[in-house]
Amino acid sequence: MKQYYYASGDQQLGPFSFEELQSKRISTDTYVWYEGLADWTRAGDLPELNALFEATTMTPPQPTVQQSPPPPAAQGGYQQARNQGGYQQQYQQPNGIKPKTWLVESILVTIFCCLIGGIIGIVYAAQVDTKWAQGDIQGAQKSSDNAKLWVMISLGIGLVITIFYVFAILAGSAF
Amino acid sequence: MKRSRKFFFLGLIIFTLLILYSSIDPAASNWFPKCPFLSLTGYQCPGCGSQRAIYQLLRGELFQAYQYNPLLVLSLPYIFLGLLFEIPSMKNKYQKAQKILFGYKSIYIVLGIIIVFWILRNVLA
């Protein structure tokens, strides 16, 4: 589960799960941060948070105080939060959730249809773990996405080959 | 909701495949796709024989399955363990085992085994 932080005035509040976030008074102009996000971001700019506002679009906008973030040097609360985030990334990995390695899926794909795609998937699976161990959360996530991509490509190719094969047999037996 | 739907379809697909592979012997039927790698190169890939092996496995013929694809049969416990560790509570309970068995070192060992098996089965055959 993603852990969200949000800024209220000069304070950083969190971590909250998405469900908890729903009960908070968050507007599209509230600044939100979670691990993996490069910087504090307006909640309205995060598509995944849209659900928070669908029911509350009629409420008046929040006071303009929060409309623009203070410059980096002055944003004590924000800066502190960001540092904490960096600290977490480096030293507190066990608390985060390692991205899925797709290892089992890659092995299955290798054995059952498409060895090349499967083997690429396995290499990416190893990278997820290596990068995660180095504290490179974004890199690990990227490798995880790549592993998934290759598993899906292999599955797709396997499916297409199977369908073509069955059709070829059907065509053959028709004559 | 979406997640349970996904699992439902996945379950349905697996169930259908189980029925298919337990009732028809791929070795005696033309309907099962042949390995494209084998057809193109004349060399076996690490997965060649998997369909026939699954059929034999579902009939309880472990040795027959092993003869079609030893890698598949030997990797089954590892695959099941990997799937088991996908369940968060299991993963948390056996964190250390999960880390050792599915860490990057193990992954590279798995990769090595697959490649060595791939070469050997073509050299020795």
Side-chain angles (χ1 to χ4, degrees):
Chain A
M1 251 344 269
K2 244 178 215 164
Q3 298 284 300
Y4 296 90
Y5 298 81
Y6 73 92
S8 170
D10 216 5
Q11 266 189 312
Q12 171 220 332
L13 301 172
F16 300 111
S17 69
F18 187 79
E19 283 72 18
E20 287 172 309
L21 216 58
Q22 284 174 317
S23 64
K24 308 291 173 200
R25 290 183 55 209
I26 291 193
S27 78
T28 49
D29 287 318
T30 308
Y31 278 81
V32 176
W33 181 84
Y34 54 82
E35 226 171 272
L37 210 61
D39 210 341
W40 287 84
T41 310
R42 276 180 73 248
D45 292 337
L46 295 168
E48 60 189 279
L49 295 181
N50 280 348
L52 289 179
F53 315 118
E54 273 161 13
T56 56
T57 38
M58 299 311 285
T59 55
Q62 293 241 321
T64 49
V65 185
Q66 287 184 20
Q67 294 260 323
S68 65
Q75 44 178 252
Y78 293 14
Q79 198 62 46
Q80 198 188 343
R82 277 168 64 184
N83 288 342
Q84 274 177 12
Y87 185 80
Q88 272 180 355
Q89 284 183 10
Q90 276 169 25
Y91 298 111
Q92 293 187 5
Q93 300 148 14
N95 289 342
I97 295 165
K98 185 165 89 175
K100 193 170 157 58
T101 61
W102 293 90
L103 174 66
V104 173
E105 289 85 349
S106 297
I107 294 175
L108 288 175
V109 160
T110 308
I111 294 180
F112 284 107
C113 81
C114 318
L115 75 151
I116 307 290
I119 283 174
I120 296 172
I122 294 175
V123 173
Y124 276 120
Q127 279 187 15
V128 172
D129 194 68
T130 319
K131 286 179 178 169
W132 183 257
Q134 292 166 351
D136 180 4
I137 289 177
Q138 282 173 348
Q141 184 60 51
K142 214 172 163 188
S143 295
S144 172
D145 293 342
N146 278 329
K148 180 182 179 179
L149 180 72
W150 281 101
V151 167
M152 291 304 169
I153 289 175
S154 308
L155 262 180
I157 292 175
L159 214 62
V160 168
I161 289 176
T162 307
I163 291 169
F164 267 97
Y165 190 86
V166 170
F167 269 103
I169 299 271
L170 269 176
S173 62
F175 294 106
Chain B
M1 264 313 176
K2 227 175 165 184
R3 201 177 158 83
S4 62
R5 218 167 169 191
K6 201 165 125 189
F7 277 115
F8 173 75
F9 279 116
L10 207 65
L12 200 70
I13 291 170
I14 292 172
F15 184 71
T16 315
L17 287 177
L18 282 179
I19 300 269
L20 188 69
Y21 280 104
S22 58
S23 47
I24 310 171
D25 181 5
S29 164
N30 281 331
W31 287 92
F32 293 86
K34 306 278 179 284
C35 174
F37 185 80
L38 180 63
S39 311
L40 285 173
T41 64
Y43 290 106
Q44 291 196 309
C45 85
C48 282
S50 291
Q51 297 185 95
R52 286 161 285 170
I54 289 284
Y55 170 74
Q56 296 295 343
L57 269 181
L58 290 172
R59 299 177 64 219
E61 300 281 349
L62 204 66
F63 184 69
Q64 279 288 333
Y66 182 86
Q67 295 210 311
Y68 279 126
N69 191 327
L71 183 70
L72 172 79
V73 177
L74 293 177
S75 63
L76 278 178
Y78 187 69
I79 289 171
F80 276 120
L81 209 59
L83 290 176
L84 203 65
F85 284 149
E86 296 276 308
I87 305 165
S89 60
M90 291 305 275
K91 190 179 173 179
N92 290 336
K93 203 170 167 189
Y94 302 104
Q95 241 175 28
K96 207 169 175 186
Q98 199 271 344
K99 254 187 179 163
I100 294 171
L101 285 170
F102 296 92
Y104 69 95
K105 282 179 194 157
S106 303
I107 297 177
Y108 281 127
I109 292 172
V110 167
L111 186 63
I113 290 173
I114 291 176
I115 291 172
V116 168
F117 170 73
W118 184 11
I119 296 169
L120 284 185
R121 83 182 307 191
N122 285 302
V123 172
L124 298 178

